[in-house]
C-alpha cells in the first residue's frame, strides 16, 4: 500500500484506505476510479478524528446553562444551540483528521469546564467511533457513536452521518437525542475546498415529548442560503412554541412564532428579502464555486483554521504521558511528526501504522480471534431503543495493563 489517503469528510472523517470499499459501496463511481485520486498526508490536519469528536465539547457552557434552567422549553432552546455549535468549527476546516486505528483512544479532562471525556475507535469495518462525556458534578452525560456513509458525486463528497447523539440532563431527568446534519465537501478534485451543512435535524426530549426541528439550508444558487439554519420548537401536541433561526457559523436566535412570521411578511413587502432560489444538494449542484457571502463575524484563523479549543487538543504536558494509556492518540508518532512540521516522517509513520494494523487483523483472522473493545460495548440506547456503543466504565481507574500495542 502507498501513503495515499482517500477523500475526507470534515464532519465525520474517513476510513483508512483498506476500508474504502465498504464506505463507498453506494458511491456513484467505481472504487477503481476512486482509488486513482491520491490525497497525501499534507491534506491532513494534525489531529485524530477522535480529537475532532471532542470538539463537540467546545461549548459545554451551553449544557451547564441548560442544566440551570427551570423551564423545559428554555432548556430545549439551549440544547438546540449546543447541537448547532457541534458543527460550527467545521467551516473552513478543510484539513482531513487522521483516521483512528482500531483500539485508539482519546481522553479529555477539563476541570475548568467541569467534565471529562473518553472516546475509542470500536470498529474498523465499518469504522465506528464512540465517545462518552460526563459532568464532574453529575449534572449531565453526553454520549454517541459515529459512522459516516459517504457518496462521491464527481466534484464533491457527501457524508450522511450515522449514529445518534444523546444528552442526558440528570437533575431534570431528561434525555435529548438527535443526529447531525449532512455535510458536503466541495471541490475535492480541483478548486478551493469549501464545506456545506444541510438537512433536517430533529432534537427530541424523551421526557416531555417536546421536539425541536432544525433545517440546515443548502446554499442554493448564488449562495443566498449558505450557513442558514431555521426551525421551531413544538410541544408533544405539535403546537409551535418558538422559532429558532440564525447561521451555524455565527449565532442563533429565538422568537415567538407570530412575531417571526409577521416580521418575514414585512421584509418581503419592503423588499428586504429577495425571492429564494431553488435549494440544491450535492447531487443536484451545477457549480462547486465557493459562494460569495458577506461574513458578519470575524473568525480567528490559526494553523489549519483551528479554533483556540482545537489548538489545545494534542498538547502533552510533562508527566501526562505516564498517566495515559498507550492507545491515546496524542502518542501517535505520525500525528506528532506532522504537528512538528516533519511531513515526510509523518507520511512514513502513517504507512507503518496502517501496515501494522493490517498485519494484526490478518493474525486475528488466522487464529480465528475476534477483536475486543476495551471501554465500550455494543448495546441498546435506552431512549431510542436503537443499537448504540455504550461506555462500560473503568477508564479513569487508570489500569491500562491490558491495552493493545497499536503504535
Amino acid at each position: 500500500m502507498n501513503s495515499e489517503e482517500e477523500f475526507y469528510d470534515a464532519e465525520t472523517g474517513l476510513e483508512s484506505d483498506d476500508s474504502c470499499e465498504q464506505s463507498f459501496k453506494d458511491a456513484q463511481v467505481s472504487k477503481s476510479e476512486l482509488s486513482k485520486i491520491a490525497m497525501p498526508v499534507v491534506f491532513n490536519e494534525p489531529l485524530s478524528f477522535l480529537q475532532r469528536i471532542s470538539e463537540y465539547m467546545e461549548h459545554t457552557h451551553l449544557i451547564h446553562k441548560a442544566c440551570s434552567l427551570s423551564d423545559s422549553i428554555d432548556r430545549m432552546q439551549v440544547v438546540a444551540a449546543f447541537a448547532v455549535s457541534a458543527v460550527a468549527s467545521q467551516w473552513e476546516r478543510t484539513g482531513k483528521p487522521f483516521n483512528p486505528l482500531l483500539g485508539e483512544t482519546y481522553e479529555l479532562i477539563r476541570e475548568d469546564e467541569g467534565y471529562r471525556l473518553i472516546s475509542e475507535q470500536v470498529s474498523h469495518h465499518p469504522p465506528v467511533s464512540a465517545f462518552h462525556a460526563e459532568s464532574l458534578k453529575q449534572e449531565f452525560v453526553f454520549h454517541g457513536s459515529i459512522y459516516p456513509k459517504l457518496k462521491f458525486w464527481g466534484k464533491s463528497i457527501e457524508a450522511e452521518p450515522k449514529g445518534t447523539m444523546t444528552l442526558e440532563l440528570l437533575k431534570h431527568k431528561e434525555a435529548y437525542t438527535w443526529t447531525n446534519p449532512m455535510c458536503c465537501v466541495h471541490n475535492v478534485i480541483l478548486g478551493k475546498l469549501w464545506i456545506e451543512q444541510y438537512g433536517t435535524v430533529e432534537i427530541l426530549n424523551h421526557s416531555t415529548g417536546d421536539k425541536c426541528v432544525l433545517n440546515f439550508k443548502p446554499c442554493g444558487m448564488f449562495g443566498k442560503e449558505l450557513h442558514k439554519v431555521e426551525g421551531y420548537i413544538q410541544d408533544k401536541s405539535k403546537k409551535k412554541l418558538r422559532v429558532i433561526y440564525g447561521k451555524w457559523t455565527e449565532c442563533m436566535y429565538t422568537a415567538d412564532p407570530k412575531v417571526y412570521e409577521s416580521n418575514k411578511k414585512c421584509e418581503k413587502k419592503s423588499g428586504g428579502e429577495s425571492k429564494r432560489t431553488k435549494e440544491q444538494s450535492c447531487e443536484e449542484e451545477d457549480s462547486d464555486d465557493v459562494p460569495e457571502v458577506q461574513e458578519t463575524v470575524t473568525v480567528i484563523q490559526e494553523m489549519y483554521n483551528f479554533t483556540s479549543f482545537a489548538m489545545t487538543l494534542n498538547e502533552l504536558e510533562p508527566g501526562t504521558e505516564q498517566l495515559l494509556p498507550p492507545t491515546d492518540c496524542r502518542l501517535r508518532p505520525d500525528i506528532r511528526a506532522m504537528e512538528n512540521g516533519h511531513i515526510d516522517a509523518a507520511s512514513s509513520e502513517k504507512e507503518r501504522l496502517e501496515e501494522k494494523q493490517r498485519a494484526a487483523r490478518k493474525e486475528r483472522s488466522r487464529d480465528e480471534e475476534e477483536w475486543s473493545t476495551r471501554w465500550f460495548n455494543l448495546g441498546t440506547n435506552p431512549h431510542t431503543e436503537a443499537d448504540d456503543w455504550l461506555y462500560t466504565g473503568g477508564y479513569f481507574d487508570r489500569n491500562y495493563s491490558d491495552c493493545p500495542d497499536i503504535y
Side-chain angles (χ1 to χ4, degrees):
M1 171 205 143
N2 56 31
S3 60
E4 298 170 353
E5 278 286 0
E6 280 72 35
F7 309 105
Y8 72 98
D9 165 52
E11 165 96 327
T12 50
L14 271 186
E15 309 80 332
S16 62
D17 62 341
D18 51 352
S19 63
C20 182
E21 181 175 352
Q22 170 70 26
S23 297
F24 286 96
K25 62 182 179 181
D26 295 323
Q28 304 306 303
V29 296
S30 71
K31 65 176 181 179
S32 61
E33 292 174 300
L34 289 171
S35 65
K36 294 177 182 178
I37 303 174
M39 298 291 281
V41 72
V42 292
F43 283 85
N44 284 62
E45 62 180 25
L47 290 177
S48 167
F49 180 57
L50 295 183
Q51 292 166 306
R52 177 69 79 91
I53 290 175
S54 70
E55 292 185 53
Y56 289 161
M57 305 303 293
E58 182 166 2
H59 301 283
T60 305
H61 66 277
L62 292 171
I63 303 181
H64 292 304
K65 177 68 174 179
C67 291
S68 71
L69 297 171
S70 59
D71 183 76
S72 64
I73 299 302
D74 290 342
R75 290 195 293 272
M76 176 63 87
Q77 290 180 151
V78 180
V79 170
F82 174 74
V84 173
S85 76
V87 301
S89 67
Q90 308 303 334
W91 178 240
E92 295 193 341
R93 286 283 291 279
T94 54
K96 174 195 174 301
F98 280 73
N99 302 318
L101 301 169
L102 184 61
E104 183 175 310
T105 61
Y106 180 69
E107 74 167 65
L108 180 63
I109 301 177
R110 291 289 302 267
E111 294 184 358
D112 57 330
E113 293 288 341
Y115 71 85
R116 62 187 185 183
L117 173 146
I118 170 62
S119 57
E120 179 182 4
Q121 190 70 8
V122 294
S123 175
H124 186 62
H125 289 294
V128 181
S129 306
F131 72 92
H132 177 95
E134 58 189 26
S135 165
L136 297 178
K137 296 181 178 180
Q138 291 76 50
E139 294 176 330
F140 69 85
V141 173
F142 178 48
H143 60 91
S145 51
I146 301 172
Y147 165 49
K149 181 179 179 182
L150 306 178
K151 291 184 179 180
F152 177 57
W153 297 109
K155 295 182 293 182
S156 58
I157 291 178
E158 183 179 65
E160 177 186 357
K162 296 289 187 180
T164 300
M165 308 293 106
T166 301
L167 173 63
E168 300 176 21
L169 304 184
L170 304 181
K171 172 185 174 181
H172 300 287
K173 298 180 180 180
E174 289 180 338
Y176 301 80
T177 60
W178 68 90
T179 59
N180 287 322
M182 301 279 281
C183 178
C184 187
V185 184
H186 297 266
N187 298 330
V188 294
I189 308 293
L190 184 65
K192 182 179 179 180
L193 294 167
W194 62 281
I195 297 165
E196 181 182 14
Q197 310 271 1
Y198 51 83
T200 300
V201 173
E202 293 189 357
I203 306 170
L204 177 62
N205 183 332
H206 291 263
S207 302
T208 65
D210 300 332
K211 179 186 291 186
C212 178
V213 181
L214 297 174
N215 179 22
F216 286 69
K217 298 188 177 184
C219 72
M221 296 179 66
F222 310 113
K224 293 186 179 295
E225 301 293 301
L226 186 63
H227 304 160
K228 287 187 178 181
V229 182
E230 187 177 82
Y232 55 86
I233 296 174
Q234 65 181 34
D235 60 21
K236 61 182 179 181
S237 64
K238 298 186 178 180
K239 178 183 178 181
K240 292 184 180 180
L241 303 176
R242 302 291 293 176
V243 169
I244 298 182
Y245 64 99
K247 290 187 176 183
W248 60 266
T249 53
E250 300 183 18
C251 50
M252 300 296 295
Y253 302 91
T254 67
D256 179 89
K258 292 182 180 179
V259 174
Y260 183 77
E261 291 301 324
S262 176
N263 185 66
K264 286 184 67 175
K265 291 179 181 179
C266 291
E267 284 184 342
K268 288 182 179 180
K269 288 181 180 180
S270 63
E273 181 178 328
S274 60
K275 184 177 180 181
R276 293 186 179 181
T277 58
K278 176 185 176 183
E279 294 180 352
Q280 297 172 302
S281 69
C282 273
E283 183 179 3
E284 300 167 331
E285 67 197 8
D286 293 323
S287 173
D288 264 2
D289 293 340
V290 182
E292 295 183 3
V293 294
Q294 182 64 42
E295 293 294 339
T296 56
V297 172
T298 300
V299 180
I300 300 175
Q301 295 185 357
E302 299 288 349
M303 289 291 288
Y304 303 97
N305 288 320
F306 283 1
T307 63
S308 297
F309 181 87
M311 291 281 287
T312 68
L313 296 178
N314 210 41
E315 288 183 355
L316 199 56
E317 299 290 341
T320 303
E321 185 173 347
Q322 286 69 37
L323 298 175
L324 296 174
T327 52
D328 193 282
C329 51
R330 275 166 288 206
L331 306 178
R332 278 187 62 161
D334 52 351
I335 295 178
R336 186 62 60 185
M338 185 175 189
E339 182 176 287
N340 293 333
H342 306 312
I343 303 302
D344 290 342
S347 181
S348 60
E349 280 296 316
K350 176 179 172 297
E351 185 173 354
R352 180 186 66 81
L353 292 174
E354 291 176 344
E355 181 57 39
K356 182 175 181 177
Q357 179 172 240
R358 279 192 296 274
R361 186 175 66 249
K362 290 178 181 178
E363 183 177 348
R364 289 195 303 273
S365 178
R366 182 177 63 249
D367 296 340
E368 298 183 346
E369 294 180 358
E370 294 290 334
W371 173 263
S372 296
T373 54
R374 183 65 181 83
W375 309 110
F376 292 81
N377 280 337
L378 183 61
T380 301
N381 186 304
H383 310 292
T384 65
E385 298 185 351
D387 289 345
D388 202 357
W389 287 88
L390 305 176
Y391 178 55
T392 57
Y395 175 86
F396 294 99
D397 293 339
R398 302 297 179 189
N399 181 9
Y400 307 132
S401 58
D402 59 346
C403 286
D405 174 19
I406 60 175
Y407 301 148

